[in-house]
Amino acid sequence: MPMFTLDDVRRIMRSCAGVPDAVDLNSDIADVPFADMGYDSLAMLEMAAHVQQEFGIRIPDDAVEEMKTPQEAVDYVNRRFAGELQG
Amino acid sequence: MSGSRRVQAPDQGPDRVVVTGIGVIAPNGLGTEAYWSATLDGKSGITRITRFDPERYPVRVAGQVAEFDATEHVPSRLIVQTDHWTHLGIAAADQALADAGITPAELPEYEMAVVTASSSGGTEFGQREIERLWSKGPGFVGAYQSIAWFYAATTGQISIRHGMRGPCGVICSEQAGGLDVAAQARRLLRDDATLVVTGGADASLCPYGLVAQLSTGQLSGRDDPGTAYLPFDVAACGYVPGEGGAMLVTEREQAALARGRSPYGVIAGYAATFDPRPVPGEPPRSNLGRAIIAALDDAGLAADQVDVVFADASGVPERDRQEATAISAIFGPFGVPVTAPKTMTGRLYAGGAALDLAAALLAIRDGVIPPTIGVIAQAPGCDLDLVGGTPRETPVRNALVIARGHGGFNAVLLVTAPRSTPGNGE
């Protein structure tokens, strides 16, 4: 059972970066690039900060480069939980 | 010098710069018509501060924009990354563009610009982030603080929102900024720009923002909203701060007429001066009079052609006397109708002169000078034909707006009635 899910991404983006105009966050957004939903680099930093605060894990600033889509963000955070990533 | 000069207007050609759209967010009205009808009715938006408990602060009344719900005016993605002051500016700019009948996507993006005035920046946003920093730690400070506080944030967000990638900018000269930006818009339109969104807004009624304003010593400590701000009155005791402002769409007259739009008026004259450094032991001197004369000159108008003066109306007795003296020296004692509708909003800083400019254009449109409320007895040295508690119906062709920014800024701008309408084939 993953600790971090797409619903967590939806909830965190909604609260810290707002809701996009063109895309329904409740639809299947797993592989829709954040950029295509209107989330810019500052929105990604906001998301990373919230995940760090809420889940108590560390996400380096440049890790947002590996999180171009919600699914990639979920995978990255869960690999962090699993201790698969260093730094 | 009053009435002696009739010089050729330098700005009478087809490339005159006109205002074709107005958007207003004011303490006494959301939207241009709501503001204007409240203003003509003498309805004030000044109340006890409700945004936070002001009890322990020396200033407890303000002109708050009470009914504004950002979610009705600003997209969700933008709300989280911008300050309340930018929300007001975005909403006013949207109104102004709609009023002007402009669809920005249809116009060349590099020929459209945004130039707004800002005085406080995003203090409410900043206070929230500072609270997070101190109570929770640096990891809890939002990334958007980096762009939300910044004076140019409103300009930038309007520019991004509407794809206006021309020569954008921000001017920070406190209350004078609302006129300085309109003059900058005129410069840009005389050059390569074809459309400029201009105006100003401020919203700094959080504890941090209010305390920053207190340092001037010019704010009113009176608790009664009805008597807290009485410019030119014997009982004047400083001014009431307010939030909000106005945005304007400016373009060349020819372009407006070609689109079939009737402009509100022409930006016909402008000048700015700076006051001399105060000398200890000597009364402060002002160069406001020079700005009025230079603006008349720029418009090619004589003093006796001015139908109304929208005063800066500081409410600080010394500054009131300076302004009244400058007006009387040029127009004669009681020589021109003077009004201060900001007695119903408080001083809105960068938004204040932009709102006065909007009011001046509406006065031209409707042939009515809005009232100055509250003033009962003018102070000695203030020999002004102040338009009192009821509006004065009279044709208005030329309106002069004065704005003085804290720190020495003086700006004066003249707007004149549109000479032509799309119907008369000009």
Side-chain angles (χ1 to χ4, degrees):
Chain A
M1 188 69 187
M3 311 239 346
F4 188 72
T5 67
L6 282 171
D7 278 340
D8 290 319
V9 174
R10 292 186 175 101
R11 174 175 55 79
I12 289 170
M13 294 313 282
R14 198 173 279 126
S15 79
C16 76
V19 181
D21 280 336
V23 179
D24 178 4
L25 274 187
N26 291 324
S27 65
D28 181 13
I29 56 166
D31 298 315
V32 181
F34 285 112
D36 291 359
M37 290 190 268
Y39 292 121
D40 55 16
S41 58
L42 288 179
M44 301 312 298
L45 288 175
E46 280 284 276
M47 182 190 76
H50 276 249
V51 172
Q52 293 183 88
Q53 291 154 14
E54 186 176 329
F55 294 91
I57 57 167
R58 201 181 104 73
I59 301 177
D61 282 354
D62 53 10
V64 298
E65 291 298 316
E66 298 172 40
M67 296 185 259
K68 301 284 192 204
T69 65
Q71 188 60 52
E72 287 176 12
V74 165
D75 293 345
Y76 179 91
V77 173
N78 284 317
R79 274 186 289 153
R80 275 273 159 198
F81 278 129
E84 292 172 23
L85 298 166
Q86 302 299 314
Chain B
M1 59 195 84
S2 86
S4 61
R5 205 156 16 90
R6 304 247 176 215
V7 291
Q8 178 62 42
D11 210 12
Q12 296 293 310
D15 284 342
R16 300 195 307 174
V17 168
V18 296
V19 176
T20 53
I22 299 176
V24 169
I25 305 284
N28 61 344
L30 276 189
T32 303
E33 298 312 324
Y35 159 74
W36 188 233
S37 70
T39 298
L40 294 179
D41 287 345
K43 282 188 189 150
S44 174
I46 296 174
T47 62
R48 185 175 173 88
I49 292 172
T50 57
R51 199 68 55 74
F52 59 94
D53 179 4
E55 190 52 39
R56 292 180 301 136
Y57 294 82
V59 171
R60 290 171 297 274
V61 301
Q64 298 177 121
V65 176
E67 292 165 10
F68 184 83
D69 177 357
T71 61
E72 291 174 11
H73 301 273
V74 185
S76 163
R77 279 282 294 120
L78 266 180
I79 288 176
V80 297
Q81 51 184 304
T82 47
D83 181 80
H84 176 52
W85 134 77
T86 297
H87 300 165
L88 302 183
I90 287 171
D94 282 1
Q95 282 179 29
L97 287 164
D99 185 36
I102 293 286
T103 307
E106 295 170 354
L107 297 169
E109 57 186 344
Y110 289 101
E111 292 180 15
M112 294 183 287
V114 185
V115 185
T116 70
S118 172
S119 173
S120 290
T123 54
E124 193 173 289
F125 199 107
Q127 167 154 0
R128 196 174 68 221
E129 299 305 321
I130 290 169
E131 284 170 354
R132 284 183 184 157
L133 173 67
W134 286 347
S135 63
K136 295 180 176 173
F140 289 80
V141 176
Y144 291 118
Q145 167 62 9
S146 61
I147 59 167
W149 76 271
F150 181 45
Y151 302 107
T154 300
T155 284
Q157 295 294 357
I158 293 170
S159 160
I160 294 167
R161 177 166 169 74
H162 298 294
M164 299 178 168
R165 309 181 73 177
C168 296
V170 63
I171 296 180
C172 308
S173 46
E174 219 247 12
Q175 186 90 14
L179 302 184
D180 293 332
V181 289
Q184 174 64 6
R186 187 175 66 155
R187 281 181 210 110
L188 295 175
L189 289 163
R190 284 170 170 172
D191 197 2
D192 292 335
T194 55
L195 183 139
V196 182
V197 174
T198 186
D202 256 315
S204 197
L205 296 177
C206 58
Y208 158 43
L210 183 65
V211 167
Q213 296 166 47
L214 294 177
S215 63
T216 65
Q218 296 184 347
L219 277 69
S220 169
R222 220 169 262 164
D223 275 319
D224 172 17
T227 58
Y229 178 34
L230 300 173
F232 305 115
D233 195 281
V234 288
C237 63
Y239 68 84
V240 166
E243 64 178 350
M247 293 292 169
L248 308 172
V249 170
T250 56
E251 54 189 314
R252 289 189 206 112
E253 183 174 40
Q254 234 173 15
L257 297 178
R259 293 194 301 115
R261 310 298 295 200
S262 298
Y264 286 98
V266 182
I267 298 176
Y270 163 80
T273 60
F274 202 75
D275 286 336
R277 182 191 296 267
V279 179
E282 291 182 20
R285 292 170 299 145
S286 170
N287 287 326
L288 173 60
R290 276 178 45 207
I292 296 173
I293 292 167
L296 286 168
D297 225 22
D298 184 38
L301 290 172
D304 64 4
Q305 291 175 288
V306 172
D307 301 304
V308 59
V309 171
F310 284 75
D312 177 67
S314 159
V316 174
E318 176 62 40
R319 290 176 69 79
D320 283 349
R321 264 194 304 278
Q322 277 181 358
E323 184 176 23
T325 302
I327 292 170
S328 293
I330 293 159
F331 299 94
F334 308 99
V336 65
V338 175
T339 191
K342 58 169 71 76
T343 47
M344 289 169 264
T345 62
R347 286 173 71 80
L348 309 186
Y349 301 97
L355 187 60
D356 276 347
L357 187 47
L361 292 162
L362 295 166
I364 288 171
R365 182 191 71 180
D366 293 346
V368 59
I369 300 175
T372 305
I373 67 162
V375 177
I376 294 166
Q378 283 187 55
C382 296
D383 298 331
L384 301 175
D385 173 16
L386 203 60
V387 175
T390 51
R392 191 183 295 181
E393 290 191 18
T394 177
V396 180
R397 281 200 59 78
N398 303 311
L400 184 141
V401 183
I402 296 174
R404 306 186 70 199
H406 178 66
F409 302 98
N410 301 304
V412 176
L413 194 135
L414 267 153
V415 281
T416 65
R419 183 184 41 185
S420 41
T421 57
N424 69 8
E426 197 160 333

